């Protein structure tokens, strides 16, 4: 599984991308967020406020109940702020 | 057509290319987003736009396809920059060309509203007080929601 | 700024000039109207735009002033051509620049809707069947009426 | 009084502009339209359908009840059709 972090999520975790095996017991985005929080340090900080985090699986916006599986590309980031004022 | 790029773009050339030789076009609506020197937090000296390469292109292509499916468009365009930008710099160009002006306006408005809440870009502003990530605004969700149709799934 | 002219205009140069050095502008919405090769009556080979010199400038200046009074604009522009035009030629450019995109969109849309029913221009189309004056459309009045405010006098 | 004609009104009257004295008994735009119709020929044709005619006095759109006076610039034309489709 490839996991990406953007904006302040990236700054807090201290990394932009990492390869990992699907952790045991993780079936959904919500599970993965909880697992990330359990890693402590910058991860606990980055994933401390569930509501502030948005998620894409395989480059598509998804909700927290969306499944994750081995081989997925999962990205964590704040709400997007592109475009114009 | 969609493009994600570091460099500036030439608005006149892009718009001219969009309708060139297509005599079915009666109206071409475009919108350019620019970097302002004021943020709610104070004066900004520069900003850096981060994005998600791969997903950005996919998101913009989806938004453009959605506009094409909703309005009778002859052509459309989304160009979004990333990287470091200063006040006055162009950030984004969206455009829609149609036989009729109403469709051109609505589609262009839709493109920028949807892009704002769906394309994976994040702004880091440099202010006197240091660099800060821009917060998303509720009003942007409201603007995007206005284009939602009854049969769209809630998110 | 308003201009009435025989010659074509350079969209990119006009829009760049409109916001140059003004770092309060966050959004610039523009609309270009073009000559289509199809009219309800059939294929058109050319058209001639007649106007009322003097009143045209006055009407466009009034419409621009009205937009400036209704929306917080940093800049606005109306350029309208007259004379002989062929399919694909630009007829009109309107633009509005504001700190926020909503105001830019609304003001730009207002400019073209109002212009359409208030500026003294008349189109003569050359079709295979000869030259014919274009009829005004009720839908244009409807589009302009949407911008009417409760305290506006009926006409 | 300066009177101007545009588009098919101009084609039907056969002239673009004319100087005239305010005709006797004419106080409003409606009066002037009726007077024009009475001139016969191309004028009767141009002003035959009151509803198809729009009027500006001193370069401002006005209704048919608007007054006209010596020294005014009065223009007659069809509904305007500028801008974009």
């Amino acid at each position: 599984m490839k996991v990406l972090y953007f904006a302040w999520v990236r700054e807090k975790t201290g990394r932009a991308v990492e390869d990992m095996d699907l952790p045991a017991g993780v079936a959904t985005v919500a599970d993965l967020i909880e697992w990330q929080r359990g890693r402590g340090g910058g991860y606990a900080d980055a994933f401390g406020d569930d509501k502030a985090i948005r998620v894409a699986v395989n480059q598509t916006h998804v909700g927290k109940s969306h499944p994750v599986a081995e081989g997925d590309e999962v990205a964590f980031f704040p709400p997007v702020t592109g475009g114009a004022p | 057509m969609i493009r994600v790029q570091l460099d500036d773009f030439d608005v006149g050339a892009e718009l001219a290319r969009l309708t060139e030789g297509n005599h079915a076009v009666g109206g071409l609506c475009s919108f350019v987003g620019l970097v302002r020197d004021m943020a709610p937090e104070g004066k900004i000296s520069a900003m850096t736009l981060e994005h998600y390469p791969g997903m950005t292109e996919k998101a913009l292509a989806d938004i453009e396809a959605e506009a094409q499916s909703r309005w009778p468009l002859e052509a459309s365009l989304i160009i979004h920059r990333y990287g470091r930008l200063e006040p006055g710099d162009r950030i984004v160009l969206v455009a829609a060309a149609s036989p009729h002006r109403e469709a051109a306006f609505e589609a262009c408005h839709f493109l920028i509203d949807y892009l704002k809440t769906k394309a994976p870009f994040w702004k880091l502003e440099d202010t006197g007080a240091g660099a800060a990530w821009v917060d998303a605004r509720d009003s942007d969700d409201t603007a995007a929601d206005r284009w939602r149709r009854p049969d769209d799934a809630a998110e």
Side-chain angles (χ1 to χ4, degrees), chain A, chain B:
Chain A
M1 197 165 58
K2 185 177 174 187
V3 181
L4 299 100
Y5 309 96
F6 293 96
W8 56 253
V9 182
R10 172 180 51 72
E11 290 183 338
K12 288 183 175 182
T13 63
R15 54 210 313 177
V17 58
E18 57 185 333
D19 285 304
M20 60 169 76
D21 295 328
L22 185 67
V26 168
T28 67
V29 166
D31 295 340
L32 186 55
I33 287 175
E34 197 184 325
W35 181 84
Q36 294 271 29
R37 202 180 292 125
R39 294 171 82 180
Y43 288 90
D45 186 18
F47 291 91
D49 180 8
D50 189 23
K51 287 191 198 58
I53 298 274
R54 296 291 178 275
V55 187
V57 171
N58 299 325
Q59 307 193 348
T60 298
H61 294 287
V62 298
K64 304 283 160 71
S65 60
H66 194 275
V68 289
E70 201 59 69
D72 279 349
E73 177 175 312
V74 183
F76 296 100
F77 44 77
V80 303
T81 57
Chain B
M1 197 189 55
I2 66 132
R3 254 164 42 218
V4 183
Q5 62 188 49
L6 194 60
D7 295 329
D8 192 16
F9 42 81
D10 179 334
V11 175
E14 297 294 346
L15 296 182
R17 188 153 37 214
L18 209 57
T19 62
E20 195 162 34
N22 184 341
H23 297 168
V25 174
L28 168 62
C29 185
S30 74
F31 179 85
V32 180
L34 300 131
V35 180
R36 286 183 304 175
D37 58 6
M38 283 301 290
E41 298 72 30
K43 209 87 176 167
I44 77 159
S45 54
M47 69 159 60
T48 304
L49 263 162
E50 181 174 334
H51 79 116
Y52 180 173
M55 180 169 169
T56 306
E57 289 79 359
K58 187 173 178 300
L60 297 184
D62 285 352
I63 292 165
E64 186 182 43
E66 177 79 16
Q68 294 269 357
S69 79
R70 290 201 195 187
W71 289 277
L73 302 183
E74 291 290 328
S76 58
L77 173 68
I78 305 174
I79 303 178
H80 205 301
R81 295 175 69 188
Y82 60 91
R84 188 174 184 282
L85 299 171
E86 296 184 354
D89 284 350
R90 284 174 278 265
I91 306 169
V92 60
L93 168 65
V94 298
S98 172
H100 293 282
R101 72 183 188 283
E102 279 304 313
F105 262 102
E106 289 187 13
C108 184
H109 207 160
F110 168 87
L111 288 174
I112 192 72
D113 280 351
Y114 250 49
L115 180 158
K116 180 105 192 160
T117 59
K118 307 222 182 283
F121 287 95
W122 301 275
K123 288 188 183 116
L124 180 69
E125 288 177 345
D126 295 339
T127 68
W133 292 99
V134 174
D135 283 329
R137 289 185 319 215
D138 290 342
S139 62
D140 291 325
D141 286 328
T142 309
D145 280 349
R146 131 183 77 179
W147 301 105
R148 194 185 275 281
R149 292 174 301 185
D151 58 337
D152 289 347
E155 270 172 52

